[in-house]
Amino acid sequence: MLRSALLSASRSDKLRQVATDAPPARALVNRFVAGETSADAVRATSELVASGRLVTIDHLGEETLDLSQAQATRDAYLELLDALHAAGLTSGAEVSVKLSAVGQALPEDGEKVALEFAHAICAKAAEVGTTVT
């Protein structure tokens, strides 16, 4: 029950803005969330890889119940992988994909859609020289 409430709250733009703008929350968010764009993720990845760390990047979101959102998540991963490759960061970074974020819970063909989208992400990762967890 708590999980459902938290997932529902995570979809609220207003709650997200409050959580990210409040000073105590901002410090916590900034520690674990690189930003909202591929450029933000590439910048943070570059800093971490330069310091000798390996990086796993996750596009936040799960329990996607809308096909267009699942497509947008797939596209965000594909864009990110291209950006990491262009920046020369694929040897130090991988992406983490949750099937629920790419449509697993969609009515009717959710599992098929999720596997198709995950396959596209994995193929792009292999193409640019990194992995998917």
Side-chain angles (χ1 to χ4, degrees):
M1 184 168 190
L2 179 59
R3 181 177 188 274
S4 295
L6 290 173
L7 285 172
S8 180
S10 73
R11 293 185 191 107
S12 167
D13 290 335
K14 189 170 191 138
L15 283 176
R16 178 181 21 210
Q17 183 177 3
V18 168
T20 57
D21 289 348
R26 188 178 317 126
L28 182 63
V29 168
N30 289 343
R31 181 166 181 220
F32 295 102
V33 179
E36 295 188 25
T37 68
S38 290
D40 294 332
V42 168
R43 186 173 34 262
T45 299
S46 180
E47 292 171 11
L48 291 166
V49 168
S51 72
R53 295 180 175 102
L54 299 176
V55 178
T56 297
I57 304 166
D58 181 18
H59 181 81
L60 297 178
E62 62 180 284
E63 294 295 324
T64 299
L65 300 173
D66 178 74
L67 179 59
S68 64
Q69 182 59 45
Q71 291 167 326
T73 299
R74 175 206 55 205
D75 294 348
Y77 275 107
L78 298 177
E79 176 188 325
L80 173 62
L81 287 162
D82 280 335
L84 290 169
H85 179 66
L89 295 169
T90 54
S91 65
E94 67 178 11
V95 296
S96 174
V97 178
K98 292 183 289 302
L99 291 177
S100 63
V102 290
Q104 185 179 33
L106 292 171
E108 297 180 31
D109 292 334
E111 288 185 17
K112 180 181 174 189
V113 169
L115 289 174
E116 177 186 323
F117 290 177
H119 177 48
I121 295 165
C122 291
K124 174 60 78 172
E127 176 187 318
V128 301
T130 192
T131 57
V132 176
T133 55

